Short mmCIF file of all heavy atoms in Angstrom, two decimals:
data_model
loop_
_atom_site.label_atom_id
_atom_site.label_comp_id
_atom_site.label_asym_id
_atom_site.label_seq_id
_atom_site.Cartn_x
_atom_site.Cartn_y
_atom_site.Cartn_z
N SER Y 665 17.89 -20.38 13.67
CA SER Y 665 17.20 -21.23 14.70
C SER Y 665 15.75 -20.78 14.80
O SER Y 665 15.39 -19.66 14.60
CB SER Y 665 17.86 -21.03 16.02
OG SER Y 665 19.21 -21.55 15.99
N CYS Y 666 14.97 -21.74 15.18
CA CYS Y 666 13.51 -21.47 15.40
C CYS Y 666 13.13 -22.23 16.73
O CYS Y 666 13.20 -23.46 16.81
CB CYS Y 666 12.70 -22.04 14.23
SG CYS Y 666 10.91 -21.94 14.49
N ALA Y 667 12.79 -21.40 17.65
CA ALA Y 667 12.38 -21.97 19.02
C ALA Y 667 10.87 -22.10 19.04
O ALA Y 667 10.13 -21.14 18.71
CB ALA Y 667 12.86 -21.07 20.08
N ALA Y 668 10.41 -23.26 19.48
CA ALA Y 668 8.97 -23.55 19.53
C ALA Y 668 8.53 -23.66 20.97
O ALA Y 668 9.15 -24.17 21.84
CB ALA Y 668 8.66 -24.85 18.78
N SER Y 669 7.32 -23.14 21.22
CA SER Y 669 6.71 -23.26 22.54
C SER Y 669 5.20 -23.63 22.37
O SER Y 669 4.69 -23.37 21.26
CB SER Y 669 6.89 -22.03 23.41
OG SER Y 669 6.23 -20.95 22.74
N PHE Y 673 6.15 -30.34 20.56
CA PHE Y 673 6.87 -30.02 19.33
C PHE Y 673 7.05 -31.23 18.46
O PHE Y 673 7.02 -31.12 17.23
CB PHE Y 673 8.23 -29.42 19.75
CG PHE Y 673 9.12 -29.05 18.65
CD1 PHE Y 673 8.79 -28.03 17.76
CD2 PHE Y 673 10.33 -29.73 18.45
CE1 PHE Y 673 9.58 -27.71 16.69
CE2 PHE Y 673 11.18 -29.43 17.40
CZ PHE Y 673 10.78 -28.39 16.53
N SER Y 674 7.31 -32.39 19.03
CA SER Y 674 7.54 -33.57 18.26
C SER Y 674 6.37 -34.04 17.40
O SER Y 674 6.55 -34.95 16.62
CB SER Y 674 8.02 -34.66 19.17
OG SER Y 674 7.13 -34.98 20.16
N ARG Y 716 16.62 -30.77 13.62
CA ARG Y 716 15.76 -30.44 14.73
C ARG Y 716 16.22 -31.14 15.96
O ARG Y 716 16.84 -32.29 15.92
CB ARG Y 716 14.28 -30.77 14.45
CG ARG Y 716 13.99 -32.24 14.33
CD ARG Y 716 12.59 -32.46 13.78
NE ARG Y 716 11.61 -32.05 14.72
CZ ARG Y 716 10.33 -31.82 14.44
NH1 ARG Y 716 9.88 -32.01 13.20
NH2 ARG Y 716 9.41 -31.44 15.33
N ASP Y 717 15.87 -30.59 17.11
CA ASP Y 717 16.15 -31.18 18.40
C ASP Y 717 14.86 -31.19 19.18
O ASP Y 717 14.44 -30.11 19.71
CB ASP Y 717 17.24 -30.41 19.17
CG ASP Y 717 17.65 -31.06 20.45
OD1 ASP Y 717 16.84 -31.78 21.01
OD2 ASP Y 717 18.74 -30.71 20.95
N ASN Y 718 14.17 -32.34 19.24
CA ASN Y 718 12.82 -32.38 19.91
C ASN Y 718 12.96 -32.17 21.40
O ASN Y 718 12.00 -31.69 22.02
CB ASN Y 718 12.14 -33.65 19.58
CG ASN Y 718 11.66 -33.68 18.08
OD1 ASN Y 718 11.57 -32.63 17.48
ND2 ASN Y 718 11.35 -34.85 17.60
N ALA Y 719 14.09 -32.51 22.00
CA ALA Y 719 14.23 -32.31 23.43
C ALA Y 719 14.33 -30.80 23.76
O ALA Y 719 13.93 -30.37 24.85
CB ALA Y 719 15.44 -33.00 23.88
N GLU Y 720 14.89 -30.05 22.79
CA GLU Y 720 15.04 -28.62 23.00
C GLU Y 720 13.98 -27.80 22.30
O GLU Y 720 14.03 -26.51 22.38
CB GLU Y 720 16.41 -28.12 22.48
CG GLU Y 720 17.56 -28.78 23.27
CD GLU Y 720 17.63 -28.31 24.67
OE1 GLU Y 720 17.27 -27.12 24.92
OE2 GLU Y 720 18.08 -29.07 25.55
N ASN Y 721 12.98 -28.40 21.60
CA ASN Y 721 11.97 -27.70 20.88
C ASN Y 721 12.54 -26.67 19.92
O ASN Y 721 12.16 -25.55 19.84
CB ASN Y 721 10.99 -27.01 21.83
CG ASN Y 721 10.09 -27.93 22.56
OD1 ASN Y 721 10.22 -29.18 22.41
ND2 ASN Y 721 9.13 -27.38 23.25
N MET Y 722 13.50 -27.16 19.12
CA MET Y 722 14.25 -26.31 18.23
C MET Y 722 14.38 -26.91 16.87
O MET Y 722 14.66 -28.12 16.73
CB MET Y 722 15.63 -26.02 18.83
CG MET Y 722 16.44 -25.01 18.05
SD MET Y 722 15.99 -23.30 18.51
CE MET Y 722 16.51 -23.24 20.27
N VAL Y 723 14.25 -26.13 15.81
CA VAL Y 723 14.60 -26.53 14.49
C VAL Y 723 15.62 -25.49 13.91
O VAL Y 723 15.49 -24.32 14.18
CB VAL Y 723 13.35 -26.60 13.55
CG1 VAL Y 723 12.64 -25.32 13.40
CG2 VAL Y 723 13.74 -27.23 12.20
N SER Y 724 16.57 -25.97 13.16
CA SER Y 724 17.66 -25.11 12.68
C SER Y 724 17.84 -25.24 11.15
O SER Y 724 17.39 -26.25 10.60
CB SER Y 724 19.00 -25.48 13.38
OG SER Y 724 18.87 -25.30 14.79
#
Side-chain angles (χ1 to χ4, degrees):
S665 296
C666 174
S669 61
F673 178 67
S674 59
R716 66 189 295 163
D717 184 338
N718 287 343
E720 296 293 328
N721 285 8
M722 187 80 69
V723 61
S724 300

